[in-house]
Amino acid sequence: MSADKNNIKTEYSVGVVIVGENGKNELQVLIPKGSTLPATGGDEFYTRVEHQKAISIRVMGGEDKDIRFATPIGICRMELRKKYGRNAAIRYCMTYEKDGRISLELTDEDHETIGKTSFNRSCDLKPLLADNHKTEYRFMITEKLSGFVGIDCLKRYMLDVASQIEFNRFREEKLGIEEEGILENLIFIGNPGTGKTSVARLIGEIYKELGILSKGHLVEVSRADIVKGYQGQTAIRVSELIEDALGGVLFIDEAYSLKTDNSDSFGQEAVDALVKGIEDNKGKLLVILAGYKKEMDEFIRTNTGFLSRFSRTIEFPDYSVDELLDIAENVAADRHFIISEDGMRAFAENIGRQMLGESFGNARTARNIIETAILNKARNFSKGDVNEHELSILTATDFNNSDDIPPEEKAKRALDELQNLIGLGSVKKEIETVVAIAKYRMEEGVTDTDLPINMHMVFTGNPGTGKTTVARLFGQILHEIGLLKKGQLIEVSRSDLVGQYQGHTAIKTADICHSAYGGILFIDEAYSLMNGEMDTFGMEAVATLIKEMEDNKDKLVVIMAGYSDEMDRFLESNPGLRSRIGEIIEFPDYDGNELCEIFSKCAVSRKLICSDEVMANIRTRISVLKDRKDFGNARDMRSLAEDIWKNMIRRIEMDGLTGDDRKIVKMEDIPDLE
């Protein structure tokens, strides 16, 4: 300030930081240079999201729009007590007093005061040199990371980086000492969906602004992008990827899969080439290795070349329910939706069911739930009498949690659906017994120590006898009585579990098991996992499966299915597997009357009208089919009904039939027996 008794003028402009048209932070001047104090100035901005919770305010002094050349005066955060819609106008008014005090008041479009704050600035508003840059670096980092929920450890680390950069540059300016670069490679550990890849991309951008990296781009790779099919090719590929990543970030996801075990020569080649590339290009790129904590710890420990080159580990913890609610609100706001109070409760209930260990997708799961809710809203949309509010709000209905049906009633409905299945009398009895025991244990508070129970099962029988259908209903029932968190059915075969190289199978099988946590893992033709004593991949899959069945029996139920004789031999050759099976349930072939009933049910679902003559033909056909080795039971009945329907459609379209004639099956519609 310049002082001439009562005529005090500002020597520098004063304003606040806004987001400009180019998307970058700019200084918006409210009180221009040379203003006589006291002086006032103001403007308005607009909220960026629905129900914005707070406003961050930065008061700066200077002339240039580029805030790097302005002087920080103060920063504060004001909470918004009211729920303002997106693009709500907020007015801010600044007052600069003679004593150097700067006050700021925010009001909304209804002229209600949102909040007031003040800063003392009695000295001239001159650039603060190093302190200015240091503060600006920290502002920039804080602002860029403000959109990320949690990850406090990373935020502290990045602020330390800013402090170190400024300290080094200040020493160079004052002492002429040029420090070595501070670029250190990182290890990110955490479960899926915790923001590792997004943060890696953002670090590249921040490091570019800080002058640490020249480009700041992200090159994201995994083992499949690195390890190649013959000796020497992998090292060449690593060199190419490092060359692509120079000036930016090389992000290697699930880095522990690079080398699966000591016999993995291609993986060792990748590790050696990567270590050499990092050393040869030190300071030219940032390398980040990412993955699960346990696997990453073991990988770094057993590959000593990485130990000295990756000294900093950042942990990305799973999000809490409250943090996931914040993420959900942000995702919804990006799609111009808000979430109602009952919608928030429904989301919390939904996300709570899915928070199950390593298979849980954190922010990814929250995003999927919101996207599904928006899709549900679109499916149920009716133009009718709908207002703008209804078009932009997600309620419990959209989260499929509005039916208010108690779990006991849902369990009863699933049991009724099981009972309504055609045939399978002995199977139904077995399942009902297992469910009754499970309910008794839960109601009486019985633990595994008091009375052990094994829920893993084997379903034996020919194709089309209802094994998959019963498994699905069993999962629903166990979920509704509270024994399984989700009750979903994950159906897999050998190709889903067995990998392409030694060590890959264990990872692949474990990942499949994790995806089934809270539900049922259904392995069809389970005996195909082992193709003889020399099938090391199959042995690896079975060993991993046994471990999951034992260690996580409270998280999932494994049901293995297949032909009776083959399943018997499979279990006999794997005693460790047999000891972990609680029940073996035989699914008998359907008899003629049951198959006829199944066909009739399929016909009714397609609105077919079958005469007595047609049904007599179907019964005769069934008696012939049942004697064939490749007979598919209910599956063949469904296929027969579909074939008849297709033939009928072709006939009625050619003949131009109308009314009920379009539903009546003729003898000519029944395909010939092959």
Side-chain angles (χ1 to χ4, degrees):
M1 293 178 291
S2 61
D4 181 12
K5 294 185 178 180
N6 294 325
N7 186 20
I8 303 176
K9 297 179 181 293
T10 62
E11 292 186 359
Y12 290 88
S13 301
V14 183
V16 294
V17 175
I18 63 167
V19 178
E21 293 181 1
N22 58 4
K24 294 184 177 180
N25 290 336
E26 296 178 354
L27 175 62
Q28 183 180 45
V29 173
L30 299 182
I31 299 178
K33 175 183 176 180
S35 298
T36 301
L37 301 184
T40 60
D43 207 330
E44 65 183 21
F45 68 96
Y46 299 90
T47 55
R48 300 177 64 186
V49 297
E50 293 283 352
H51 294 181
Q52 188 165 322
K53 295 182 178 180
I55 299 171
S56 294
I57 304 165
R58 294 164 60 186
V59 177
M60 310 284 285
E63 299 300 318
D64 201 304
K65 279 189 174 184
D66 191 332
I67 60 176
R68 290 178 298 176
F69 304 109
T71 303
I73 296 174
I75 184 170
C76 74
R77 177 183 171 91
M78 287 189 183
E79 301 294 330
L80 299 180
R81 293 183 295 274
K82 289 174 61 177
K83 292 185 177 180
Y84 296 100
R86 191 185 184 94
N87 293 325
I90 304 294
R91 177 82 184 176
Y92 48 94
C93 181
M94 176 181 286
T95 302
Y96 196 171
E97 304 289 353
K98 290 183 179 180
D99 59 4
R101 183 166 51 87
I102 298 172
S103 60
L104 195 66
E105 180 179 10
L106 271 65
T107 56
D108 61 20
E109 49 196 3
D110 296 325
H111 306 291
E112 292 185 19
T113 299
I114 293 174
K116 298 179 180 180
T117 188
S118 63
F119 308 95
N120 289 317
R121 186 63 177 167
S122 58
C123 61
D124 288 349
L125 294 175
K126 295 179 180 179
L128 300 181
L129 299 177
D131 285 343
N132 173 46
H133 285 198
K134 178 176 179 180
T135 306
E136 178 53 35
Y137 290 152
R138 294 174 69 87
F139 274 152
M140 181 267 289
I141 289 172
T142 301
E143 192 164 278
K144 283 186 176 292
L145 291 173
S146 63
F148 288 85
V149 177
I151 58 172
D152 293 335
C153 178
L154 175 82
K155 293 175 181 177
R156 288 193 298 269
Y157 170 71
M158 293 301 294
L159 291 175
D160 287 344
V161 169
S163 298
Q164 186 67 56
I165 289 174
E166 180 51 39
F167 180 67
N168 289 353
R169 291 177 180 173
F170 194 72
R171 275 168 53 85
E172 182 179 353
E173 179 185 333
K174 298 297 183 182
L175 305 177
I177 299 173
E178 186 173 348
E179 299 280 358
E180 289 187 10
I182 63 169
L183 189 61
E184 60 178 342
N185 300 311
L186 302 172
I187 296 172
F188 284 0
I189 58 174
N191 290 324
T194 48
K196 299 186 293 295
T197 307
S198 298
V199 167
R201 182 175 291 105
L202 186 59
I203 286 178
E205 296 173 7
I206 291 174
Y207 278 14
K208 181 184 178 183
E209 289 198 34
L210 293 175
I212 300 175
L213 292 172
S214 60
K215 298 179 182 177
H217 63 298
L218 181 77
V219 176
E220 182 182 359
V221 297
S222 62
R223 176 184 168 106
D225 304 299
I226 298 174
V227 177
K228 297 303 173 183
Y230 56 83
Q231 211 68 32
Q233 188 183 14
T234 294
I236 295 173
R237 181 56 180 156
V238 171
S239 297
E240 292 173 346
L241 289 171
I242 288 178
E243 183 69 26
D244 292 342
L246 288 179
V249 179
L250 178 61
F251 182 83
I252 306 175
D253 199 15
E254 295 185 352
Y256 43 79
S257 66
L258 286 179
K259 181 185 175 185
T260 55
D261 56 34
N262 291 332
S263 65
D264 184 4
S265 59
F266 292 159
Q268 185 62 55
E269 182 183 354
V271 169
D272 293 342
L274 190 58
V275 169
K276 184 178 186 302
I278 292 172
E279 189 63 31
D280 291 348
N281 295 280
K282 190 174 182 181
K284 298 179 182 178
L285 82 162
L286 170 66
V287 180
I288 299 177
L289 306 181
Y292 294 113
K293 176 175 172 50
K294 180 181 177 182
E295 289 84 347
M296 287 301 300
D297 288 347
E298 178 67 15
F299 176 66
I300 298 297
R301 185 183 65 79
T302 56
N303 292 277
T304 54
F306 285 136
L307 283 173
S308 61
R309 293 169 179 85
F310 290 85
S311 57
R312 178 76 65 167
T313 298
I314 306 292
E315 185 167 1
F316 289 69
D318 287 342
Y319 293 111
S320 67
V321 172
D322 287 341
E323 289 172 334
L324 289 164
L325 285 169
D326 286 340
I327 291 170
E329 284 190 295
N330 291 336
V331 173
D334 288 341
R335 296 287 303 275
H336 306 287
F337 282 95
I338 60 174
I339 307 175
S340 67
E341 290 188 12
D342 69 333
M344 293 296 280
R345 289 193 296 270
F347 173 86
E349 179 184 337
N350 197 327
I351 202 78
R353 289 198 301 268
Q354 300 194 47
M355 295 176 74
L356 293 170
E358 294 179 29
S359 66
F360 175 56
N362 283 281
R364 197 173 302 156
T365 301
R367 192 176 302 111
N368 290 342
I369 292 174
I370 294 298
E371 294 294 342
T372 301
I374 293 172
L375 179 60
N376 289 339
K377 192 169 194 70
R379 285 172 177 160
N380 299 323
F381 170 69
S382 175
K383 289 184 177 179
D385 295 328
V386 61
N387 56 44
E388 292 183 3
H389 179 69
E390 291 170 337
L391 287 172
S392 59
I393 189 167
L394 298 176
T395 67
T397 303
D398 303 314
F399 291 95
N400 290 329
N401 284 337
S402 60
D403 51 18
D404 295 327
I405 301 174
E408 297 80 7
E409 177 61 25
K410 291 181 180 179
K412 181 180 180 301
R413 291 184 181 185
L415 279 167
D416 288 344
E417 188 176 348
L418 176 68
Q419 281 299 329
N420 290 334
L421 293 177
I422 296 169
L424 304 177
S426 60
V427 172
K428 296 171 184 176
K429 186 175 180 180
E430 291 272 12
I431 294 296
E432 286 178 338
T433 300
V434 172
V435 171
I437 293 172
K439 286 182 65 177
Y440 171 81
R441 285 166 53 85
M442 296 182 68
E443 291 166 355
E444 297 297 321
V446 178
T447 65
D448 270 350
T449 305
D450 301 324
L451 181 63
I453 185 173
N454 191 343
M455 301 296 291
H456 304 310
M457 297 182 177
V458 167
F459 286 179
T460 62
N462 291 323
T465 49
K467 298 185 291 294
T468 307
T469 300
V470 170
R472 176 181 57 80
L473 289 172
F474 186 47
Q476 291 178 13
I477 295 166
L478 294 183
H479 167 60
E480 299 305 343
I481 67 174
L483 195 64
L484 288 177
K485 290 292 183 67
K486 294 189 287 186
Q488 82 280 19
L489 181 76
I490 303 297
E491 187 176 357
V492 298
S493 60
R494 175 187 167 95
S495 62
D496 300 299
L497 301 175
V498 174
Q500 299 174 343
Y501 50 84
Q502 206 67 34
H504 184 215
T505 295
I507 296 172
K508 197 173 181 182
T509 302
D511 285 345
I512 288 290
C513 289
H514 297 163
S515 71
Y517 281 178
I520 288 180
L521 178 62
F522 184 85
I523 308 174
D524 199 18
E525 296 185 351
Y527 38 76
S528 66
L529 287 177
M530 291 283 292
N531 291 329
E533 295 180 358
M534 301 302 292
D535 183 6
T536 55
F537 289 173
M539 292 172 62
E540 188 178 359
V542 171
T544 305
L545 192 60
I546 290 173
K547 188 174 188 305
E548 285 285 344
M549 292 169 71
E550 182 62 31
D551 295 350
N552 296 296
K553 56 187 176 184
D554 59 329
K555 293 182 180 179
L556 85 161
V557 172
V558 176
I559 297 178
M560 291 177 282
Y563 292 107
S564 301
D565 292 342
E566 285 86 342
M567 286 303 301
D568 287 343
R569 287 193 292 270
F570 177 59
L571 293 177
E572 286 175 6
S573 64
N574 293 276
L577 192 58
R578 177 65 185 88
S579 65
R580 287 162 177 82
I581 299 298
E583 297 287 340
I584 298 178
I585 300 178
E586 176 73 27
F587 283 65
D589 287 341
Y590 293 104
D591 63 29
N593 290 332
E594 290 168 344
L595 290 167
C596 196
E597 189 177 350
I598 291 170
F599 172 84
S600 297
K601 193 173 181 179
C602 294
V604 169
S605 69
R606 292 181 179 274
K607 299 181 180 179
L608 303 180
I609 300 174
C610 298
S611 64
D612 291 343
E613 182 185 14
V614 168
M615 289 308 299
N617 182 284
I618 296 300
R619 291 189 184 91
T620 302
R621 175 182 291 258
I622 288 172
S623 64
V624 174
L625 291 174
K626 275 182 59 65
D627 293 334
R628 294 183 176 180
K629 289 184 178 180
D630 61 349
F631 179 56
N633 282 279
R635 195 174 300 165
D636 278 5
M637 295 299 98
R638 289 191 292 270
S639 296
L640 177 60
E642 183 178 1
D643 290 342
I644 292 174
W645 176 76
K646 289 178 180 178
N647 291 339
M648 185 191 74
I649 293 295
R650 188 182 303 112
R651 175 178 56 81
I652 63 177
E653 290 300 324
M654 290 179 62
D655 295 346
L657 300 179
T658 60
D660 286 345
D661 288 339
R662 297 175 63 85
K663 302 176 183 178
I664 297 173
V665 175
K666 301 289 187 179
M667 291 293 293
E668 61 191 275
D669 299 326
I670 304 174
D672 295 333
L673 270 173
E674 295 180 358

